[in-house]
Amino acid sequence: MQSASFKISNYKFTKTLLDFSFYKEGEIDVSFAVSGTFIKSRSIFELRFAIIAKSEGITEAFVSVDCESIFEFTNVSSLAEVPDYFYTNSIAILFPYLRAYVSTITVQSNIRPIILPTLNLSDLNGPLKQHTNEID
């Protein structure tokens, strides 16, 4: 059996919210949401990755970004054949794009740029698996 390989073929930012009335200098709480769809007929995986940033102690987000990406597979024809390492690696591949985008949009807003730290997001592989479905 040949091993599966994949590559990112496209990504786009589908939703961006900036509301600095909810921004306060200091600590930032960052959360993530991930989900996916494996399209069998095309052997592609659509990954949706959202980031939400809130100032500490404030319930409303001052930054929210949704990103959609396409990963193409070779040697994979069903969701069951998607290797476990894909879930962790796909998030790790996409996160630098999200991180750079957040920095760019905040610096262009003429405020102190929000620079998200480099993070180990391997804990998101479980939620991504759980929130992935398969379609023909």
Side-chain angles (χ1 to χ4, degrees), residues 41-117:
S41 62
R42 298 174 48 207
S43 292
I44 64 170
F45 190 100
E46 294 179 348
L47 171 61
R48 289 170 297 285
F49 192 177
I51 185 168
I52 299 113
K54 300 176 183 179
S55 292
E56 188 175 40
I58 297 180
T59 58
E60 299 293 330
F62 68 90
V63 174
S64 177
V65 176
D66 292 356
C67 183
E68 293 180 1
S69 60
I70 304 289
F71 287 87
E72 297 177 0
F73 277 92
T74 55
N75 303 319
V76 172
S77 57
S78 71
L79 182 60
E81 295 176 2
V82 172
D84 284 338
Y85 61 82
F86 167 77
Y87 297 97
T88 301
N89 290 339
S90 63
I91 292 167
I93 290 167
L94 196 54
F95 180 65
Y97 296 104
L98 267 167
R99 184 174 179 258
Y101 183 71
V102 169
S103 295
T104 299
I105 61 174
T106 56
V107 77
Q108 292 297 321
S109 300
N110 203 25
I111 67 158
R112 183 181 65 97
I114 306 302
I115 301 172
L116 299 172

